[in-house]
Amino acid sequence: MIKKGRFNYSQEFLDHSYMELTISPNIDDNFAMDPNCLHIWPRDNFMMIALPNKDCSFTVTLFMPQKLFDDINTEQNLIEFFESYFPDALALMGERDLKEIFFNSKPQFLVTVKCEPYHYGKGVIMGDAAHAMVPFYGQGMNAGYEDCLVFHDLLKECKEDFDLTLQKFSEFRVPDAHAISHLAMLNYIEMRHYVKTWSFLMRKKVDSFLFWMLPNTWIPLYTMVSFTRMRYSECVARREWQDKVIERCRLVGGATLVLAASYLVASNAAWLSSSSRAVTAQLKGILKM
């Protein structure tokens, strides 16, 4: 398709890589951690996550700049790194198993692919061939399956006119694929850094409260993306609207506080003035002593 011309294509490699490690079942052949959640070790510029498996082990994935992987070139460096950043995980993995897996594995690259259109002649591309993305939103395979569903729906809508379906598929799907690729990159920063910040945690509470109050109006971004058929591009647009609402409420709230404080100061000016004079007189008396 590239050789045919009029086909836009970009491929962007991150300077971060990933490696899969393992936490084995404990001595009771059970999970070493709670299996009902995603475990994240956020470290600002890198992170590690763990997901449970049916055999009671955990697949642990370390994401970090390739340079950090390159700097860990001895067993001592490896253990010192984990003792500094992931001491609890090191205790669960065991030094011997960690050394064996780490030095018998290679860091894998992370890449984002964007292109358009998704069709040429009678051919069409879907899934990773059309929109490979980083894994931080967990939507890569889902987006590929949804490509098939969207194509099927469009084929019926176009009364099985294949040429028209191909054209509409590209027009409809490209904005959504670009949107989820963008969200996946943003989620990496969120997972490795923002999950530790007060502002992020507060926003989560606000989103949850408003979703409870207005379930059909205010849907959190992650819920829109992962648990609805809403288009990815619409999810982004709705999130931008939510951000504007939150920002305006913050500004209005700040302005209201300033006005309320000004009103209280103005309405109690006489009392504040007399109180100030009384305090001043007391201070002068103390100083004379």
Side-chain angles (χ1 to χ4, degrees):
M1 291 177 73
I2 294 176
K3 291 180 180 179
K4 296 296 183 181
R6 297 189 180 278
F7 178 73
N8 297 319
Y9 177 85
S10 69
Q11 177 177 275
E12 181 181 359
F13 287 90
L14 276 68
D15 59 358
H16 289 226
S17 302
Y18 73 94
M19 180 182 289
E20 290 190 348
L21 308 169
T22 301
I23 292 178
S24 300
N26 60 22
I27 57 174
D28 299 321
D29 289 328
N30 208 338
F31 288 105
M33 302 184 295
D34 184 353
N36 298 312
C37 56
L38 166 64
H39 297 270
I40 307 177
W41 290 262
R43 297 297 182 264
D44 293 323
N45 193 37
F46 57 95
M47 70 173 186
M48 192 166 70
I49 66 173
L51 287 167
N53 300 310
K54 290 184 178 180
D55 64 356
C56 293
S57 67
F58 282 87
T59 297
V60 181
T61 310
L62 177 60
F63 299 93
M64 63 183 185
Q66 180 61 44
K67 185 179 185 308
L68 289 181
F69 279 111
D70 295 339
D71 289 342
I72 300 175
N73 49 24
T74 67
E75 292 186 351
Q76 182 179 348
N77 288 345
L78 176 63
I79 299 305
E80 288 177 352
F81 177 81
F82 270 79
E83 286 176 341
S84 297
Y85 294 105
F86 311 111
D88 55 338
L90 176 60
L92 296 173
M93 291 179 186
E95 292 188 10
R96 185 184 66 180
D97 289 348
L98 174 61
K99 292 174 184 176
E100 180 178 352
I101 295 173
F102 189 92
F103 288 108
N104 284 285
S105 304
K106 291 182 63 177
Q108 303 299 308
F109 58 79
L110 296 162
V111 63
T112 296
V113 170
K114 294 181 180 179
C115 62
E116 63 173 313
Y118 290 158
H119 72 285
Y120 183 85
K122 296 292 185 181
V124 63
I125 55 175
M126 298 181 183
D128 282 356
H131 45 70
M133 66 191 74
V134 293
F136 304 110
Y137 227 110
Q139 288 293 306
M141 185 178 292
N142 288 348
Y145 285 140
E146 193 175 56
D147 285 344
C148 301
L149 186 58
V150 168
F151 190 86
H152 176 265
D153 291 343
L154 288 173
L155 192 60
K156 290 200 301 183
E157 180 184 311
C158 296
K159 303 186 186 310
E160 299 191 5
D161 183 330
F162 199 71
D163 291 335
L164 181 59
T165 300
L166 290 174
Q167 180 180 339
K168 283 186 172 292
F169 177 75
S170 288
E171 293 172 354
F172 185 92
R173 198 60 179 157
V174 166
D176 293 333
H178 288 185
I180 190 57
S181 293
H182 177 65
L183 288 176
M185 273 304 310
L186 292 181
N187 216 43
Y188 183 31
I189 301 172
E190 182 175 292
M191 292 173 70
R192 78 186 193 216
H193 173 66
Y194 286 119
V195 292
K196 302 189 300 177
T197 64
W198 177 87
S199 59
F200 173 85
L201 297 174
M202 181 57 65
R203 175 60 186 270
K204 285 292 184 183
K205 292 182 183 297
V206 169
D207 281 337
S208 297
F209 174 74
L210 291 175
F211 184 40
W212 175 73
M213 289 286 292
L214 306 164
N216 296 320
T217 303
W218 194 282
I219 307 174
L221 177 62
Y222 186 82
T223 303
M224 288 189 284
V225 171
S226 301
F227 302 110
T228 75
R229 277 293 314 278
M230 193 181 300
R231 295 182 62 182
Y232 294 127
S233 55
E234 185 179 348
C235 294
V236 172
R238 287 197 176 198
R239 175 61 178 213
E240 290 174 350
W241 172 79
Q242 291 173 354
D243 290 343
K244 290 178 181 178
V245 171
I246 293 289
E247 179 63 17
R248 287 173 183 172
C249 289
R250 187 182 69 82
L251 293 174
V252 170
T256 301
L257 287 175
V258 170
L259 290 173
S262 301
Y263 173 77
L264 288 173
V265 170
S267 61
N268 293 280
W271 178 82
L272 289 170
S273 178
S274 62
S275 297
S276 177
R277 288 195 297 269
V279 171
T280 302
Q282 289 178 0
L283 288 173
K284 287 181 177 179
I286 292 172
L287 291 174
K288 287 180 180 179
M289 295 174 60

